[in-house]
Amino acid sequence: MTQCCINPSILSADFVNLEAELKRISNADAVHVDVMDNHFVPNLTIGLPVVQRIQAVSPVPLDAHLMIADADRWAPGFADAGLASVTFHAEAAIAPIKLARELRARGAKAGMALRPGTPVEPYLDMLSELDMLLIMTVEPGFGGQAFLDVTLPKIRRARNAIDGSGIGVAIQVDGGITEDTIARAAEAGANVFVAGSAVYGADDPAAAIDRLRQAGSETLRSAAE
Ligand SMILES: O=C(CO)[C@@H](O)[C@H](O)COP(=O)(O)O
């Protein structure tokens, strides 16, 4: 069975007590770091120097999601910082294949993200260049939005293409993931789940991660049977 990974989105974390906050979610598979530039998305968060500090104190690997313009220029620096994976947006990259190769050459897993309205088909021939395909299940920019069911057929098409090609690319989904929506996304073919509000909004974030992982794993298990 494909492994079910839960990556809490740092956008919903308490930055004042960040080190303690990260310890509270140390049962996560990775911390999803939302980098936004107020150009590619209408929100501004953090840049590489702050991400490097987070990397220095995080007990779990970092999974950077770059919601930034000019990805070809900026993404390699995040790989150089030693992050486990770096995901750029297809819509923000001029040469996505070259960029994915560069990320891998610098030691990071290469991820590519698609906005809800961006089709996956133009990118199916570059799957072998990727470790992870991120299908956004909300418009990127803000936490706390409702999961877009309209993205489920795209997840299904991506899963079919990946399984048909025999290439081991993970499908990550991000936005509106809860104990309810995770089953729909997993049934469609996702296996890495980013959750902000559902984790940090819970009284016990670690227990929320365990519940999400259990819900996702059960669906993946029955899909494999
Ligand atoms: O980056 C984004 C949205 O752009 C996501 O990572 C959200 O931060 C996830 O938060 P929830 O939808 O789970 O509250």
Side-chain angles (χ1 to χ4, degrees):
M1 188 196 70
T2 317
Q3 202 200 337
C4 169
C5 298
I6 308 295
N7 298 2
S9 157
I10 209 160
L11 201 58
S12 301
D14 170 9
F15 270 72
V16 176
N17 301 303
L18 191 60
E19 198 168 344
E21 187 93 324
L22 290 169
K23 282 198 185 111
R24 291 210 298 165
I25 53 109
S26 55
N27 61 332
D29 294 280
V31 175
H32 187 82
V33 180
D34 305 282
V35 178
M36 306 186 191
D37 66 351
N38 195 31
H39 290 283
F40 182 70
V41 288
N43 199 1
L44 185 62
T45 57
I46 53 176
L48 182 56
V50 176
V51 174
Q52 285 171 317
R53 294 300 302 145
I54 298 170
Q55 161 95 342
V57 298
S58 178
V60 291
L62 301 193
D63 153 35
H65 176 189
L66 307 182
M67 288 163 268
I68 59 174
D70 210 356
D72 310 73
R73 174 179 174 196
W74 294 107
F78 288 81
D80 288 343
L83 272 64
S85 69
V86 179
T87 297
F88 61 89
H89 266 265
E91 305 89 347
I94 292 165
I97 293 178
K98 183 167 172 275
L99 180 52
R101 285 181 185 165
E102 202 170 332
L103 295 175
R104 281 176 161 180
R106 292 173 188 233
K109 287 189 174 168
M112 190 175 75
L114 304 176
R115 285 181 183 274
T118 302
V120 69
E121 282 69 22
Y123 303 100
L124 292 180
D125 60 358
M126 64 170 286
L127 287 175
S128 63
E129 309 287 347
L130 299 174
D131 298 289
M132 189 159 74
L133 180 67
L134 165 53
I135 297 184
M136 289 303 295
T137 44
V138 297
E139 278 303 333
F142 299 93
Q145 302 181 70
F147 181 87
L148 294 172
D149 281 285
V150 73
T151 59
L152 291 170
K154 180 163 67 172
I155 299 170
R156 239 172 240 124
R157 293 198 302 276
R159 171 52 62 201
N160 288 339
I162 288 167
D163 288 352
S165 68
I167 302 163
V169 185
I171 298 183
Q172 184 179 69
V173 285
D174 178 8
I177 297 298
T178 64
E179 281 178 61
D180 172 37
T181 60
I182 196 169
R184 301 210 287 282
E187 189 280 327
N191 64 302
V192 181
F193 304 91
V194 176
S197 322
V199 170
Y200 291 108
D203 290 341
D204 182 345
I209 290 169
D210 286 342
R211 286 195 301 272
L212 285 167
R213 190 181 284 115
Q214 192 180 338
S217 299
E218 272 168 20
T219 307
L220 290 176
R221 201 176 302 119
S222 29
E225 281 167 7

